[in-house]
Structure formats: C-alpha cells, structure tokens
C-alpha cells in the first residue's frame, strides 16, 4: 500500500532540520514495519491541491495528514468527494477530529490504523466554500483566539491560561453581533456575543466533548442569548454540569443548512481554529458522507 504523508512545513519551526529529518525517518520506519510504502512530503497549503492530485494519478491509496486539526483540515479539504481516503498521524496541539474518529495520539497505533485500510464515510461542514471538520464560529470566540495569540506571544502564557484571560478581556467589552439566522423555513434576528456551528452534535460546547457521531448529516447551532461576564460565568457553570443544550443562555438547534447574515459586511470567522475574513452572508451546510477516513475497524482484537 502506497501512502503520501503530508507535513505542514511551518509546523515545529523550533525544531531544526536535523530533528525534523530524524522524526520523518522514524515515521518511515513505522510505516515500513506495517508493510506500507510511505512518501513524506512537506507541502505548503497553496501547493496541496496539485500535490494531492499528483498523488492520486501516481496510484497512492491514501493521503495522510501529519499534524493537528489545522493540517488535517487543509489536507481533508482536497479529499472531499474524491473517494481517496484520509489517514491521520496526530502530531499537533489540537487533535479533536482524530480523537472523535477514534484515533489515539500514539504514532505507532495511528500507523496501524492506516495499515488496517478500514475506511468510514464521515460528514464535513462547509461555510462559503470552506470545509470544517470540527466547528466554525463568529463573534467573541474568533476575537478571543486572536487575543489569546497576543497573550501567548507578549506575556509568554500557556495556551489554556492565555485563552482564559483572552475570554475575560473580550467578554468584559460586552461584544455584540447582530445577526439574522435562517433555517428550516424560519428566520429571526438576534443580538449575541457569538454563534457556534458544529459538524454534528457536540454534547458539551465549552468542553468540546467527544462527538458520538460524525455521520448524522447534521450541524449543531448554538446561539448565545446573553452578554457580559455574568453570561460567561453561567455558561461555564452549565458546561461543568453538562447542561448547555438546556441552558437559558443558549438557543440550540440541529440543522442541515443555515444562513447567517451579520450586520457587518465582512467579519472574522473561526474555521477549525483558524481565523479568516469572510463576506456575508455566511452559508453553512452539512455535506454528508463526503470524506472517507481510515479509522479503527472496531473488531475485537
């Protein structure tokens, strides 16, 4: 079995070329031990489409994303509806999709999953032509992500601590976004600090618990109804008690498609953790079963 392993060349910049080379030689040994022929390529995002197309023409049987959610999203975006399966080597700070798909953050175990060749068809979400595997949001959360990065760079804080202070700072400004939301034949306007759209159902939004299904053909839509620090404290409390879906501070729906029209012409939107600028309106939809992913076969060992 021939596989192409794609690595984000910008990832792990703190490691020197010698360390990166040693890491990739180790990966090749793991694949070889499982009877796989692996080509490891460092490919920038702008070169992914051509590289994946070339791999398919050369008879590659799977394309493997080595990294976190950002790398997995970038590779998966070029595999949707192609039939070519996605393999995952969890190797980043965020591996939510891999965990939800049942792939452990152990490289040898992940290679064994790829060698098993068992693929399942999963859904992806789409917003204005951009694919997301986990979730997308607008309002306070994308602003908090940018603030978190400043906290990490300027104050040398850890990721979780930086996010805590970023959320406090953003919510203290009482950010409000006026949006018109349309789905299932109904349309309504809300003033809200943020809107969250997940690929399939999240049981606990604030903790981002493991999704029980990635193939239900649904998006979960959370709209926060309150503003300010008091709202944030209530949301954290409801998250701890695992009752966000029933929280009075949230509206929660399961939809297949939704249109969100912010009053701003352009705004920042988080897509699988990356913050991008998108023009209104935002068209979200579920694309059921369009991504094949190599996962554990579920058979007793």
């Amino acid at each position: 079995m021939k596989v192409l392993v794609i690595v984000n060349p910008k990832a792990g910049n703190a490691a020197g070329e010698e360390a990166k080379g040693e890491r990739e030689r180790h990966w090749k040994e793991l694949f070889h031990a499982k009877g796989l022929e692996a080509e490891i390529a460092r490919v920038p995002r702008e070169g992914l489409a051509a590289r994946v197309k070339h791999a398919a023409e050369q008879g590659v049987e799977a394309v493997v994303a080595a990294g976190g959610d950002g790398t997995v999203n970038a590779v998966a975006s070029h595999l949707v509806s192609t039939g070519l399966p996605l393999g995952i080597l969890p190797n980043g700070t965020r591996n939510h999709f891999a965990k939800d798909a049942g792939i452990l953050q152990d490289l040898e175990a992940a290679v064994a999953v790829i060698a098993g060749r068992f693929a399942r068809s999963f859904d992806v979400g789409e917003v204005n032509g951009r694919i997301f595997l986990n979730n997308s949001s607008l309002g306070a959360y994308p602003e908090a992500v940018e603030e978190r990065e400043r906290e990490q760079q300027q104050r040398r804080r850890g990721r979780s601590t930086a996010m805590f202070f970023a959320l406090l700072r953003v919510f203290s400004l009482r950010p409000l976004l006026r949006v018109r939301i349309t789905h299932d034949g109904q349309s309504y306007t809300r003033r809200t600090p943020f809107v969250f759209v997940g690929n399939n159902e999240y049981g606990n939004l604030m903790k981002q618990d493991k999704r029980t299904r990635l193939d239900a053909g649904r998006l979960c839509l959370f709209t926060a109804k309150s503003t300010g620090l008091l709202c944030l404290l209530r949301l954290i409390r409801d998250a701890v008690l695992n009752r966000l879906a029933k929280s009075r501070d949230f509206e929660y729906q399961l939809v297949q498609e939704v249109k969100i029209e912010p009053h701003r012409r352009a705004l920042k939107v988080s897509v699988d953790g990356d913050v991008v600028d998108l023009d209104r309106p935002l068209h979200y939809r579920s694309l059921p079963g369009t991504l094949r992913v190599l996962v554990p076969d579920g058979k007793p060992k």
Side-chain angles (χ1 to χ4, degrees), residues 164-179:
F164 173 77
F165 282 100
L167 283 169
L168 286 179
R169 185 167 292 110
V170 169
F171 269 79
S172 69
L173 298 175
R174 299 177 182 267
L176 277 179
L177 186 68
R178 189 170 71 249
V179 294

Side-chain angles (χ1 to χ4, degrees), residues 14-300:
E17 285 301 311
E18 184 176 347
K20 291 180 181 179
E22 182 60 34
R23 176 192 64 185
E24 291 166 12
R25 282 191 293 273
H26 175 59
W27 290 353
K28 292 197 77 165
E29 290 172 359
L30 291 177
F31 280 103
H32 181 73
K34 294 295 182 181
L36 303 178
E37 180 186 344
E39 177 189 354
I40 298 177
R42 302 179 196 176
V43 185
R45 289 198 177 194
E46 58 270 20
L48 278 174
R51 193 67 184 84
V52 170
K53 180 181 178 182
H54 177 73
E57 293 170 347
Q58 296 300 308
V60 164
E61 297 173 68
V63 178
V64 179
D69 283 325
T71 300
V72 174
N73 173 296
V75 175
S77 295
H78 298 286
L79 296 177
V80 169
S81 299
T82 66
L84 193 61
L86 168 73
I88 302 174
L89 273 188
N91 190 53
T93 55
R94 292 179 291 113
N95 297 107
H96 296 301
F97 183 75
K99 291 175 184 176
D100 291 354
I103 300 168
L104 300 176
Q105 198 161 353
D106 175 86
L107 292 181
E108 191 169 349
V111 171
V113 167
I114 295 166
R117 305 189 186 194
F118 181 78
R120 287 187 58 190
S121 294
F122 288 148
D123 311 333
V124 302
E126 182 191 67
V127 53
N128 291 15
R130 284 181 172 267
I131 296 300
F132 59 95
L133 306 179
N134 297 316
N135 55 70
S136 172
S137 60
L138 56 148
Y141 181 75
E143 293 177 17
V145 169
E146 292 196 325
E147 185 64 32
R148 180 200 67 200
E149 292 176 353
R150 284 192 288 270
E151 287 279 334
Q152 287 180 282
Q153 293 171 4
Q154 296 174 9
R155 301 180 184 274
R156 304 293 183 182
R157 283 173 168 154
R159 187 183 185 89
S160 298
T161 304
M163 190 59 172
F164 173 77
F165 282 100
L167 283 169
L168 286 179
R169 185 167 292 110
V170 169
F171 269 79
S172 69
L173 298 175
R174 299 177 182 267
L176 277 179
L177 186 68
R178 189 170 71 249
V179 294
R180 186 165 190 80
I181 300 173
T182 303
H183 63 84
D184 298 320
Q186 60 177 319
S187 184
Y188 51 90
T189 300
R190 294 288 183 267
R191 288 172 61 83
T192 177
F194 72 93
V195 180
F196 175 99
V197 182
N199 175 29
N200 284 287
E201 187 171 4
Y202 280 81
N204 191 328
L205 170 59
M206 300 297 279
K207 290 184 178 180
Q208 292 198 9
D209 280 351
K210 185 178 186 297
R211 288 165 287 179
T212 57
R213 291 190 64 178
L214 293 171
D215 59 356
R218 293 289 188 272
L219 302 174
C220 68
L221 173 65
F222 282 93
T223 308
K225 294 192 290 185
S226 303
T227 63
L229 287 174
L230 182 60
C231 167
L232 176 61
L233 293 173
R234 284 200 302 262
L235 294 179
I236 293 173
R237 178 203 64 191
D238 290 340
V240 171
L241 297 176
N242 200 23
R243 62 187 192 193
L244 275 178
K246 297 180 181 179
S247 171
R248 64 189 176 93
D249 292 301
F250 265 124
E251 288 180 286
Y252 174 75
Q253 292 96 12
L254 290 174
V255 299
Q256 288 184 306
E257 190 170 350
V258 61
K259 181 170 72 171
I260 300 175
E261 299 179 85
H263 70 284
R264 304 175 192 169
R265 184 170 298 278
L267 75 162
K268 295 186 182 299
V269 179
S270 172
V271 182
D272 277 350
D274 288 340
V275 179
V276 297
D277 293 306
L278 295 180
D279 291 330
R280 66 179 185 183
L282 301 176
H283 289 275
Y284 285 93
R285 60 174 180 157
S286 173
L287 302 179
T290 51
L291 179 66
R292 295 181 68 224
V293 183
L294 295 169
V295 298
D297 61 16
K299 297 178 182 177

